[in-house]
Amino acid sequence: MAPDSRGTTPDTRPRVRILVVGGGYVGMYTALRLQRKLRQRLKSGEAEIVVVTPEPYMTYQPFLPEAAAGSISPRHVVVPLRRVLKHCTIVIGEAERIDHAKRTATVTTLATGEDGTGAVEIPYDEVVIAPGSVSRTLPVPGLADFGIGFKTVEEAIGLRNHVIEQMDIASATRDPAIRDAALTFVFVGGGYAGVEALAELEDMARYTSRYYHNIKPTDLRWILVEATGRILPEVGEAMGKYAVRELRGRNIDVRLDTRLDSCEARTAVLSDGSRFPTRTLVWTAGVKPAPLLAATDLPLTERGRLRCTAALRVDGVEHAWAAGDAAAVPDLTSSEPGRETAPNAQHAVRQAKVLADNILAALAGRPAKDYRHSYAGSVASLGLHKGVAHVYGRKLKGYPAWLMHRVYHLSRVPTFNRKARVLAEWTLAGLFKREIVSLGSLEHPRAEFALAAGGHAHLRPGSEGNGARPGGRPPEDDDGPAKTSG
């Protein structure tokens, strides 16, 4: 079993094995820096870096809204780990449990279900726990059946396909109620993910409507629901208010201090009493720690994150490290006692560098350094050529903020390869028209062949009325658009 091998032969083992759990910002950047610093030891077999991740790529999440809008190709939003981490062992699987007392991680891989051998145990000397986060949901009736998330590239592309399909349905149906529901899009959550996804998709849908003979931009209804009194709190109160004005100026219904009470029967019911029949409900109302953290013997905070020191070491534990969404790291730059660094990409990338250096220091017997970073600011896109920014005390809006958003994230996306490809796509997008094609059939590639072979095609939920072929399940069996993103 590859995950259990230590060194080049079954009888040898490296002097140190560093296990990195998670292939996101922290996992990839930590492994990348360790790979550079330990290059000779890795080649000689004295050291080994094992990265356990459920996906063979790292997703650059700030580009998800643009991928959903078609401005960037989905394959350029992700970074292939095997190419970047050439000298690391990549294990595609899920870490189910970490027993740090024994220094082992229990991992299920793609092969364990096929060969029937069950989960494998990967021993380690040092462990970096960075599994990221998962969507934080609430017990809202109907949410599990009809909600669509926006954390992965699959969800982003699925949502793009879904929005265009709803326009196809609205254009073809003779039922006014179905048409209105198809053209109503509800987004819950006024943070980066919700605002940027809504703004980019509204831009895309408004442009796409020109190619429908019976859909006008004013027929589309976009609703943003936020439980607090402001959106985009990271960019400051003034820029948050500007963002609300900008969105409302585009006929987007922004509802502050409002909650989603239920979304059963494809009807969004809000706390202010409003009811909106809709076939699209996007949930971006926060994240929570990955379930793996509860399956460790390491100390957790009341919010379920790993309790860490400023040196990014798990508090009171040797040989265990964490950063990013999974870690509660003291913010040494804050004057507020007990304040922790925000679980965002800006901190994750910088923490990964300090974390890797501290692991190297620990291996060499040197003291570790504390993580200290002042928050530089935030930028957010509000669609093509529109944005808000609050960077180093300066406030920007409109085109300058949008340009800064692109420049900043282009500088941060990993590898020169990805930078060049993204820049090329932005350049081409400025020269040619938007793509308005839905490729929803990619989610069920065997459907056509199954029909040809005499079987039954499994249609995507929400696809009835949009090219549904004989043999597909009838509309009354539809269980909603929730699975279009998966």
Side-chain angles (χ1 to χ4, degrees):
M1 293 180 292
D4 285 328
S5 65
R6 281 194 156 196
T8 56
T9 68
D11 298 325
T12 63
R13 56 171 289 175
R15 293 183 181 177
V16 59
R17 168 182 279 173
I18 303 172
L19 175 64
V20 179
V21 179
Y25 290 104
V26 173
M28 192 202 75
Y29 279 107
T30 299
L32 182 61
R33 189 167 182 83
L34 289 172
Q35 175 182 262
R36 290 172 179 167
K37 299 290 186 177
L38 297 173
R39 184 180 299 272
Q40 295 303 319
R41 295 179 66 178
L42 291 171
K43 289 182 178 180
S44 66
E46 294 182 11
E48 182 181 18
I49 302 171
V50 178
V51 180
V52 175
T53 173
E55 303 292 349
Y57 52 79
M58 187 275 271
T59 302
Y60 191 72
Q61 292 185 338
F63 281 161
L64 288 183
E66 292 202 51
S71 300
I72 300 177
S73 172
R75 67 183 183 277
H76 298 155
V77 178
V78 299
V79 180
L81 295 178
R82 295 189 189 279
R83 177 185 294 176
V84 175
L85 305 176
K86 297 178 182 179
H87 302 293
C88 299
T89 300
I90 308 297
V91 178
I92 306 303
E94 292 275 1
E96 293 185 340
R97 186 171 59 257
I98 294 178
D99 187 343
H100 192 63
K102 298 180 179 179
R103 292 205 212 173
T104 60
T106 303
V107 178
T108 57
T109 69
L110 295 176
T112 53
E114 298 290 335
D115 56 26
T117 56
V120 297
E121 285 195 350
I122 302 180
Y124 60 80
D125 299 293
E126 304 281 340
V127 63
V128 177
I129 305 175
S133 58
V134 298
S135 295
R136 176 177 60 87
T137 59
L138 299 175
V140 176
L143 180 60
D145 297 320
F146 300 109
I148 304 174
F150 199 79
K151 269 187 66 66
T152 68
V153 66
E154 294 86 357
E155 288 176 329
I157 304 310
L159 182 57
R160 168 188 169 81
N161 293 334
H162 174 78
V163 168
I164 297 177
E165 286 174 354
Q166 297 312 303
M167 297 180 70
D168 290 337
I169 292 172
S171 177
T173 185
R174 298 179 181 178
D175 188 329
I178 292 179
R179 175 185 168 90
D180 290 345
L183 296 180
T184 300
F185 307 94
V186 179
F187 285 67
V188 181
Y192 280 122
V195 172
E196 292 191 336
L198 183 152
E200 292 284 355
L201 284 166
E202 189 273 338
D203 250 359
M204 183 269 294
R206 180 161 27 87
Y207 175 87
T208 303
S209 67
R210 70 178 65 182
Y211 297 100
Y212 289 83
H213 70 282
N214 57 353
I215 296 180
K216 303 186 298 293
T218 53
D219 295 334
L220 302 166
R221 185 167 195 180
W222 299 83
I223 303 165
L224 177 63
V225 180
E226 168 55 39
T228 67
R230 57 193 291 194
I231 66 172
L232 298 174
E234 296 87 353
V235 299
E237 185 175 358
M239 290 296 96
K241 290 181 177 179
Y242 167 81
V244 170
R245 293 196 302 270
E246 167 67 26
L247 294 176
R248 286 174 174 167
R250 291 157 56 180
N251 292 322
I252 296 173
D253 188 353
V254 180
R255 307 231 169 180
L256 303 177
D257 296 311
T258 307
R259 300 179 308 278
L260 176 70
D261 284 346
S262 74
C263 54
E264 294 178 301
R266 285 184 167 174
T267 299
V269 180
L270 307 184
S271 59
D272 60 7
S274 303
R275 299 173 63 90
F276 299 101
T278 179
R279 300 167 63 88
T280 308
L281 183 105
V282 184
W283 181 268
T284 62
V287 296
K288 64 181 180 181
L292 168 66
L293 302 186
T296 71
D297 54 353
L298 299 171
L300 304 178
T301 67
E302 61 277 3
R303 295 187 177 182
R305 300 166 71 191
L306 290 169
R307 192 181 304 277
C308 294
T309 67
L312 305 175
R313 192 192 303 270
V314 177
D315 195 16
V317 181
E318 296 293 323
H319 311 293
W321 312 79
D325 292 354
V329 180
D331 187 352
L332 299 184
T333 65
S334 173
S335 58
E336 181 181 338
R339 187 178 180 86
E340 300 169 355
T341 58
N344 57 37
Q346 185 178 144
H347 281 298
V349 173
R350 289 165 173 79
Q351 286 174 353
K353 179 180 178 180
V354 176
L355 193 157
D357 288 345
N358 281 347
I359 291 177
L360 296 171
L363 294 177
R366 301 192 308 269
K369 296 182 179 179
D370 289 342
Y371 171 75
R372 185 187 299 270
H373 172 69
S374 299
Y375 194 56
S378 299
V379 291
S381 171
L382 299 178
L384 190 63
H385 301 158
K386 298 175 285 288
V388 290
H390 189 182
V391 182
Y392 294 114
R394 298 190 64 181
K395 300 174 183 177
L396 299 174
K397 58 186 178 182
Y399 184 86
W402 172 83
L403 184 62
M404 176 172 284
H405 174 271
R406 283 203 161 182
V407 170
Y408 173 79
H409 286 300
L410 184 67
S411 70
R412 294 299 176 182
V413 68
T415 77
F416 176 79
N417 179 294
R418 284 297 176 272
K419 295 180 195 294
R421 290 178 181 272
V422 169
L423 182 59
E425 287 197 307
W426 281 343
T427 302
L428 291 174
L431 299 175
F432 300 100
K433 296 180 179 180
R434 283 179 183 258
E435 294 291 345
I436 60 169
V437 177
S438 166
L439 296 177
S441 59
L442 290 175
E443 297 160 32
H444 296 282
R446 291 193 65 252
E448 187 77 22
F449 181 79
L451 283 172
H456 294 280
H458 178 74
L459 296 180
R460 298 177 310 285
S463 63
E464 68 278 12
N466 180 29
R469 302 175 184 272
R473 57 196 179 108
E476 58 268 21
D477 289 339
D478 185 359
D479 57 2
K483 310 263 181 12
T484 58
S485 59

